[in-house]
Amino acid sequence: MSSSLHSPLGSISGVAQSAVQNLSRHRLALLCAAGLGVTAVASWMWWKRNRLELRHVGTVSQLIIYPIKSCRGVSVQEAECIDLGLVNEELEDRHWLVVTEDGHMVTGRQEPRMVLISVTGCGDSLCLEAPGMEKLVVPVPLPKSNKVLDCRVFGSDIQGRDSGEEASIWLTSYFQSSKPYRLVHFESGMMKPRKSNDKEKLFRDKDLIAYPDASPIMLLSETSLEDLNKRMEQPVSLGNFRPCIVVSGCQAFAEDGWDDVKVGTTRLKRVMACGRCILTTVDPNTGVLSRKEPLDTLRTFRQSDPSLSHLYKTSPLFGQYYGVEQTGRLRVGDPVYHVVRRG
C-alpha cells in the first residue's frame, strides 16, 4: 500500500524538479543573452561616440630632410618617420651637429653662412659642399674609435660622436673661425635622445628629438607661404622656414587646426605652432642675416593670442610642430588626412 502511494509522488517530484531546472537554464540563457545584448549595445554606442573620420585636407608636395642642423635640406620622394623624425637611408633629420670644442651647438644664428652648406647622401658617406671649399666626405657610420662628445643643445645635455680632424679643419676653415669647430653625429639606439618637453612644455614625454630645436616634425603648407609672400616686397622661400613636410591643396594656415594627422602609414599629433626666430631672416641663397624680414611682416598678422604669450612671447607663428603618434612611411603625393572624432 505504501509503495503504491510513494510512486506517483516521486514521479510528480521528479517532474517538478526537472521543470525548475529547465526554467533555471532558460532563465540563465535569457540573462546571458540580455547581458550580451547590453554589451553589444554599449560597444556600438562607444564605437559610434569614438569612431574616427578621415577628412582629406591636402597632399604632400615635398618631404625635406636636414641632415646637419642649420645646413641645407635634401628633398626626398619618400621617407620613414621614426620617433625622432624623418629618415631616408643615410639621411637622418637633424642627427648631425656643428659644435665648439667644448660641445656647445653652433647654428645659423651664430654662423649664417651655414645655410650654404649642402649635404647629400653618397652611399655609405655624407658629402658636404660649400662655396670655395672642396667636397668633404664623412663616413657613415663613423668609426667606433672616434670620441663621443658631451654636447649642449638649448641647455640640454646630449651626446654625439666626433667626425674627426678632417671635418673639423674643413668647418673651421669655411667659417674662418679662430676657434675650432667640430661635427658630431647622434647615433640612434646608442645614445639617449632629448625630450621635446625640456624645450617646450606642451610636448608629451614620449616626444623625442636628437638635435632639432624642439620637435621631430614641422609641417607647413604652400598656401601659407604664398599668403605671406603676397604681403612681402621681396618673397621668401621654404628655405627660410625649414619644414619637414610641405602640404599643398589647402587654404592658407589650414594646418593651424589639424590636431591629428594621418599621412601614409604615419600618424602625427599637433602640439603647438612654431614660434619664429631670427634664423628665418638668414637668406638661404646668400647666407646673409638681416634680422628683419620675414619676421617684421609676420609680426603684423601672425602674433599669438595674448593668453599664449607665456609660450611664444613676441615670436610670430608660422608652421606647426607635431609629435609622432605612430611611426610609418610617407611619400610625396600621399593624401593628408585630418583625423576627426565623430560623435
Side-chain angles (χ1 to χ4, degrees):
M1 180 73 176
S2 63
S3 62
S4 62
L5 288 173
H6 283 103
S7 181
L9 289 173
S11 298
I12 293 171
S13 176
V15 169
Q17 185 177 3
S18 177
V20 169
Q21 289 175 346
N22 286 333
L23 179 60
S24 297
R25 281 197 297 268
H26 288 308
R27 185 181 181 187
L28 180 60
L30 288 170
L31 288 172
C32 289
L36 289 172
V38 170
T39 302
V41 169
S43 299
W44 179 81
M45 291 179 67
W46 181 93
W47 175 84
K48 183 179 180 181
R49 187 170 60 251
N50 294 279
R51 62 181 172 169
L52 305 178
E53 176 186 348
L54 299 181
R55 295 179 183 173
H56 184 202
V57 293
T59 303
V60 176
S61 59
Q62 292 188 56
L63 295 172
I64 309 172
I65 294 175
Y66 305 85
I68 303 177
K69 186 175 180 66
S70 285
C71 294
R72 280 183 175 164
V74 182
S75 290
V76 296
Q77 288 299 301
E78 61 181 328
E80 182 181 358
C81 184
I82 64 173
D83 289 330
L84 300 178
L86 299 187
V87 174
N88 180 296
E89 296 181 351
E90 69 275 9
L91 300 176
E92 307 162 294
D93 191 66
R94 296 170 175 94
H95 274 50
W96 298 78
L97 179 70
V98 178
V99 296
T100 58
E101 281 214 305
D102 60 0
H104 284 82
M105 72 173 184
V106 179
T107 72
R109 301 168 182 87
Q110 297 84 35
E111 294 285 2
R113 292 175 66 244
M114 187 176 290
V115 303
L116 302 181
I117 299 176
S118 62
V119 185
T120 54
C122 307
D124 57 355
S125 303
L126 210 63
C127 296
L128 280 64
E129 296 181 86
M133 301 294 293
E134 294 185 2
K135 181 186 293 187
L136 172 69
V137 179
V138 180
V140 180
L142 293 169
K144 296 300 181 185
S145 56
N146 286 19
K147 289 183 179 179
V148 173
L149 304 183
D150 293 324
C151 306
R152 296 281 288 176
V153 177
F154 291 108
S156 295
D157 295 326
I158 189 169
Q159 292 182 317
R161 190 176 297 279
D162 183 57
S163 296
E165 290 304 317
E166 185 180 0
S168 177
I169 293 170
W170 192 93
L171 289 168
T172 306
S173 174
Y174 173 65
F175 293 120
Q176 300 177 357
S177 173
S178 59
K179 296 181 179 180
Y181 286 151
R182 309 199 73 85
L183 179 65
V184 298
H185 179 229
F186 178 84
E187 298 177 345
S188 297
M190 301 289 293
M191 297 174 180
K192 183 180 180 180
R194 292 160 54 223
K195 286 190 172 185
S196 292
N197 60 16
D198 286 341
K199 179 70 168 60
E200 298 290 352
K201 298 304 180 185
L202 290 183
F203 280 92
R204 307 165 298 180
D205 283 340
K206 67 181 286 186
D207 296 324
L208 305 174
I209 46 176
Y211 303 135
D213 285 10
S215 176
I217 297 290
M218 202 275 282
L219 182 149
L220 179 66
S221 71
E222 290 181 353
T223 45
S224 296
L225 180 62
E226 291 166 3
D227 185 283
L228 169 62
N229 280 332
K230 289 176 183 177
R231 307 165 190 261
M232 300 273 298
E233 289 186 10
Q234 295 293 327
V236 291
S237 70
L238 290 171
N240 292 79
F241 302 105
R242 309 174 69 79
C244 300
I245 301 175
V246 184
V247 180
S248 63
C250 62
Q251 293 185 343
F253 307 109
E255 63 268 31
D256 292 356
W258 299 343
D259 294 330
D260 191 341
V261 168
K262 184 178 184 300
V263 189
T265 58
T266 302
R267 187 93 170 267
L268 307 171
K269 289 283 190 178
R270 190 182 75 87
V271 177
M272 61 188 295
C274 180
R276 292 304 180 167
C277 68
I278 62 167
L279 185 59
T280 62
T281 71
V282 177
D283 188 323
N285 298 313
T286 64
V288 174
L289 174 68
S290 73
R291 295 182 179 272
K292 294 183 67 64
E293 294 291 4
L295 281 184
D296 286 353
T297 299
L298 281 171
R299 288 191 181 107
T300 65
F301 74 110
R302 289 293 293 175
Q303 290 291 151
S304 71
D305 186 276
S307 65
L308 300 176
S309 61
H310 63 290
L311 290 175
Y312 302 111
K313 299 180 175 60
T314 61
S315 299
L317 313 181
F318 200 68
Q320 297 293 323
Y321 278 154
Y322 284 82
V324 179
E325 180 70 11
Q326 178 179 308
T327 60
R329 297 195 67 84
L330 63 163
R331 59 180 297 111
V332 171
D334 276 347
V336 178
Y337 295 104
H338 181 200
V339 183
V340 181
R341 290 193 182 278
R342 295 182 62 184

